[in-house]
Amino acid sequence: MTDLAVKTLRGGYPNAEEIVKGIDIEVAAGDLTVIIGPNGAGKSTFLKLVAGLLKPTDGEVRLQGEPLPLGNAQLACGMGMSFVPQERNVFSSLTVRENLEMGGYLLRRGMKDRIDEQVWRFPLLKSKLREKAGNLSGGQRQVLAMGIALMTNPSVLLLDEPTAGLSPNAADEIFELVRNLAKSGLAVLMVEQNALLALEYGTKGLALVAGRKVREAAAAAMLADDEVRHLFLGRRDANQIQKGEYHAQA
Ligand code: ADP
């Protein structure tokens, strides 16, 4: 059974409901699926619809076969899905430990064990537990944000541009950690602007244009595809692609 199965998901914002126009995707344990596409394609919106932070107008999201009530992020979290937003994903004025505790606020017991697990998973957090999150580097903050998301022991992890604003070295380190999370048995769905590098770490790729899936393939196949490389792996904006440069079918 697939850990995350999304069917014909549609939706957007109260004043712009039709951003995502019917996307299907399945992510299994061990997969690191990378969503690529031009700015404005609807990648982040799609992730928020899956996470329940926005309410879809149509479609279905299943976790381990169980349908999720749409648009209910807290319930989705309780059922095994965690989302790491691109921005404001840590509490700057709280310590690293307090941030991890916030991530585990739904836990009834086992807080200490869960914190120990994150420290074991991300050793750099160990010496920083009493440090204010606001004093961490950008890369360290992203690691903490993942630790917070993992406090509830999810089976599905959604990441929105975890390397935004990071140096190439820091981005490599984050991708390495994300790949290890997938290898450890999580189903990971990640939106990335840094598409070329992300696909090198990913197992699958999915390209979105104007709210629709236009290509889905193994990451290696995406990287080897001349058209995908030309259109998605350089810097292009949505207008160029929507004006007809892209014709391939999914
Ligand atoms: P991507 O992640 O692919 O860059 P987004 O999902 O952020 O794309 O945005 C898709 C579209 O949704 C864009 O046209 C953007 O202007 C619009 N959008 C993003 N956020 C909002 C919002 N809060 N309200 C209305 N429209 C939005």
Side-chain angles (χ1 to χ4, degrees):
M1 191 182 309
T2 327
D3 288 67
L4 173 67
V6 177
K7 268 210 183 126
T8 56
L9 202 68
R10 290 178 174 273
Y13 305 87
N15 57 343
E17 284 194 338
E18 272 288 287
I19 301 288
V20 169
K21 297 168 183 154
I23 293 178
D24 293 350
I25 181 174
E26 293 194 350
V27 189
D31 273 344
L32 166 50
T33 297
V34 183
I35 303 182
I36 65 170
N39 273 331
K43 303 181 296 296
S44 289
T45 306
F46 174 65
L47 220 53
K48 287 175 192 153
L49 289 164
V50 174
L53 291 163
L54 293 171
K55 185 155 191 191
T57 50
D58 196 14
E60 189 180 77
V61 179
R62 285 177 181 261
L63 275 184
Q64 268 100 28
E66 283 287 310
L68 285 181
L70 295 177
N72 188 331
Q74 185 157 345
L75 213 63
C77 182
M79 289 174 71
M81 184 190 282
S82 268
F83 172 68
V84 182
Q86 185 185 344
E87 289 170 332
R88 294 192 290 275
N89 52 21
V90 302
F91 297 92
S92 300
S93 59
L94 300 183
T95 66
V96 166
R97 178 184 288 280
E98 289 164 344
N99 267 278
L100 292 171
E101 286 170 356
M102 293 296 282
Y105 80 102
L106 285 175
L107 297 174
R108 294 217 177 86
R109 64 179 89 85
M111 180 72 85
K112 185 177 176 307
D113 288 350
R114 303 294 313 157
I115 291 178
D116 288 349
E117 193 181 310
Q118 306 324 316
V119 169
W120 169 80
R121 207 195 292 270
F122 305 121
L124 75 85
L125 296 180
K126 186 166 187 176
S127 61
K128 308 273 182 195
L129 281 172
R130 292 167 190 222
E131 188 100 34
K132 290 267 197 293
N135 294 337
L136 300 179
S137 69
Q140 291 168 342
R141 268 204 295 275
Q142 286 301 332
V143 172
L144 174 58
M146 289 196 278
I148 294 169
L150 294 171
M151 282 294 289
T152 51
N153 200 19
S155 54
V156 172
L157 184 65
L158 311 179
L159 298 167
D160 193 358
E161 295 208 36
T163 71
L166 299 186
S167 69
N169 280 348
D172 265 326
E173 284 172 25
I174 294 294
F175 285 143
E176 186 78 44
L177 289 172
V178 173
R179 174 162 65 187
N180 287 340
L181 290 175
K183 279 188 179 162
S184 75
L186 268 130
V188 185
L189 183 58
M190 174 170 77
V191 164
E192 258 297 331
Q193 276 298 325
N194 203 344
L196 195 58
L197 193 57
L199 283 172
E200 281 171 14
Y201 284 89
T203 57
K204 287 188 185 168
L206 184 119
L208 298 192
V209 174
R212 291 198 166 87
K213 179 166 78 176
V214 293
R215 187 67 65 97
E216 184 175 14
M222 294 279 260
L223 283 169
D225 183 320
D226 282 344
E227 193 174 30
V228 169
R229 286 188 79 90
H230 174 65
L231 287 172
F232 298 109
L233 304 181
R235 292 229 160 242
R236 272 160 194 275
D237 67 27
N239 289 336
Q240 280 174 285
I241 292 175
Q242 281 162 39
K243 273 180 194 151
E245 283 194 46
Y246 192 83
H247 302 293
Q249 290 301 301

